[in-house]
Amino acid sequence: MSRPLMPKATAVWLVENTALTFDQIADFCGLHVLEIKGIADGDVAQGIKGLDPVSAGQLSRAEIERCQKDPEARLKLQESDYELPPVKPRKGPRYTPVSRRQDRPDAIAWLLRHHPELTDAQVTKLVGTTKPTIQSIRDRSHWNSPNIKPVDPVTLGLCSQIELDAAVQKAARRVERERKKAVKEGRAVETLLPAAETTAPAYEPEAPKEEDPSKRSYDADSVFASLKDKPVEDDGEEENN
């Protein structure tokens, strides 16, 4: 299915000017539903000006009204009078606008923290960076390391949610293949440590230790103090006399 030329800008306009559902806009623009929700909340696509698909000849007003009446309907891209050449996928790291390049370290830190299974090549492809930069952020030798704060790259507009999900699923399949291969070859598989080794033992208060009477030290005050509390017993022979 063909997509609009500027999908994110088109999604911004549709969110602001129509009553279409998030699913309808996501399906038409080729974006994730969470991205559309982020656009509506103001967390995604900040600073992107909406593109009117009606003025651009990509949608008709009747098509928008038809889908607004039926939430299950899907928008259909209006056929162009001109035949556009197919866009060839570009190899290598993606182009990042100059205005967003300062956000890449934050996005890399987020990916390294929340998705450590991603390879450096996948992170490079997602946010358009280099492997030395990834390594410097990983070992905290980056020149701006004290000011780096992990931020979702989708929120920063460096990649789409669909691209991130696809990369995470691919990495998960690779990890599963490596685990099965290790089990087949009889090698040790890195797994989570048992709870008995990672949790602290339950606290049990120690019983008071009884002092050995033979090692107890006495002084005059303590001896006479204990005698004062004892009742004086009369001798039976004195009473008879």
Side-chain angles (χ1 to χ4, degrees):
M1 179 181 176
S2 56
R3 304 295 181 188
L5 296 178
M6 300 177 66
K8 192 160 289 189
T10 302
V12 170
W13 189 92
L14 291 174
V15 168
E16 294 177 350
N17 297 277
T18 67
L20 296 169
T21 64
F22 292 164
D23 289 332
Q24 289 175 318
I25 299 174
D27 181 76
F28 176 71
C29 298
L31 302 175
H32 198 277
V33 178
L34 294 178
E35 286 185 83
I36 306 301
K37 185 178 183 301
I39 292 173
D41 294 338
D43 299 330
V44 180
Q46 295 180 359
I48 296 180
K49 184 178 180 180
L51 174 66
D52 184 0
V54 178
S55 302
Q58 302 178 77
L59 272 179
S60 64
R61 181 64 62 178
E63 180 69 9
I64 295 177
E65 293 177 355
R66 179 184 71 85
C67 293
Q68 287 182 150
K69 296 177 181 178
D70 183 10
E72 299 298 328
R74 291 295 179 261
L75 292 167
K76 294 182 180 180
L77 190 67
Q78 188 174 354
E79 296 183 1
S80 175
D81 297 334
Y82 305 96
E83 185 176 355
L84 299 176
V87 179
K88 296 181 180 180
R90 181 181 177 182
K91 296 182 180 181
R94 66 172 65 238
Y95 171 76
T96 305
V98 178
S99 59
R100 296 189 179 276
R101 291 180 184 177
Q102 73 274 7
D103 298 331
R104 284 188 296 193
D106 296 341
I108 296 170
W110 189 92
L111 292 173
L112 294 178
R113 172 180 294 185
H114 295 279
H115 297 289
E117 70 276 9
L118 293 175
T119 63
D120 289 356
Q122 287 179 303
V123 176
T124 299
K125 189 175 181 181
L126 280 172
V127 299
T129 185
T130 60
K131 292 184 178 180
T133 303
I134 298 173
Q135 185 59 34
S136 65
I137 294 174
R138 181 182 286 115
D139 57 21
R140 301 188 66 82
S141 61
H142 192 271
W143 67 271
N144 196 29
S145 183
N147 299 322
I148 294 178
K149 298 179 180 179
V151 182
D152 189 349
V154 177
T155 303
L156 295 174
L158 296 175
C159 68
S160 66
Q161 187 68 45
I162 294 177
E163 293 170 337
L164 178 58
D165 291 347
V168 171
Q169 292 172 5
K170 184 178 180 180
R173 291 193 297 267
R174 175 182 54 79
V175 172
E176 183 64 19
R177 287 196 305 267
E178 293 176 355
R179 187 190 69 81
K180 290 182 179 179
K181 184 178 179 181
V183 172
K184 187 176 181 180
E185 295 177 355
R187 293 186 284 109
V189 181
E190 294 183 359
T191 57
L192 294 177
L193 295 176
E197 298 183 16
T198 57
T199 56
Y203 173 73
E204 296 181 359
E206 296 182 359
K209 296 181 179 179
E210 296 183 359
E211 188 177 358
D212 188 358
S214 61
K215 297 181 180 179
R216 187 180 303 172
S217 60
Y218 297 93
D219 55 7
D221 294 336
S222 62
V223 171
F224 287 109
S226 61
L227 291 176
K228 291 179 182 179
D229 298 334
K230 293 184 178 181
V232 178
E233 296 181 0
D234 296 334
D235 191 358
E237 294 180 356
E238 294 180 358
E239 292 179 358
N240 295 331
N241 295 331

